[in-house]
Amino acid sequence: MDASQLQRIEVNILLGIVNEKLRLECDSLAELQAYYGLDQGELTERLLASGYRYDPLNNQFKSL
């Protein structure tokens, strides 16, 4: 996954990929964004606009 794919991937597929990366590879959203070189707000804003917010306690995006 790279930054150029964020806007092209269908949001439910993006959600699944991001949550899997958070579960298996990264201990936080900040670590995920740094590892993949993602803009700090772009991923969060895209998922928030689709009804998902990041839950730091569970380290995953969940529906609002």
Side-chain angles (χ1 to χ4, degrees):
M1 177 174 65
D2 64 39
S4 67
Q5 294 175 319
L6 278 181
Q7 296 303 319
R8 295 190 317 234
I9 297 176
E10 195 273 327
V11 73
N12 290 314
I13 293 172
L14 178 63
L15 175 68
I17 292 169
V18 168
N19 277 340
E20 180 179 5
K21 299 286 185 190
L22 288 168
R23 183 175 61 251
L24 300 175
E25 298 176 13
C26 301
D27 293 329
S28 68
L29 180 58
E31 183 179 334
L32 176 94
Q33 292 170 325
Y35 185 80
Y36 287 100
L38 304 173
D39 178 86
Q40 284 196 307
E42 187 175 1
L43 175 63
T44 304
E45 289 171 17
R46 172 102 195 273
L47 290 172
L48 186 60
S50 297
Y52 300 98
R53 66 171 173 77
Y54 179 66
D55 177 2
L57 294 175
N58 293 303
N59 193 33
Q60 66 179 327
F61 280 87
K62 294 182 173 183
S63 62
L64 295 172

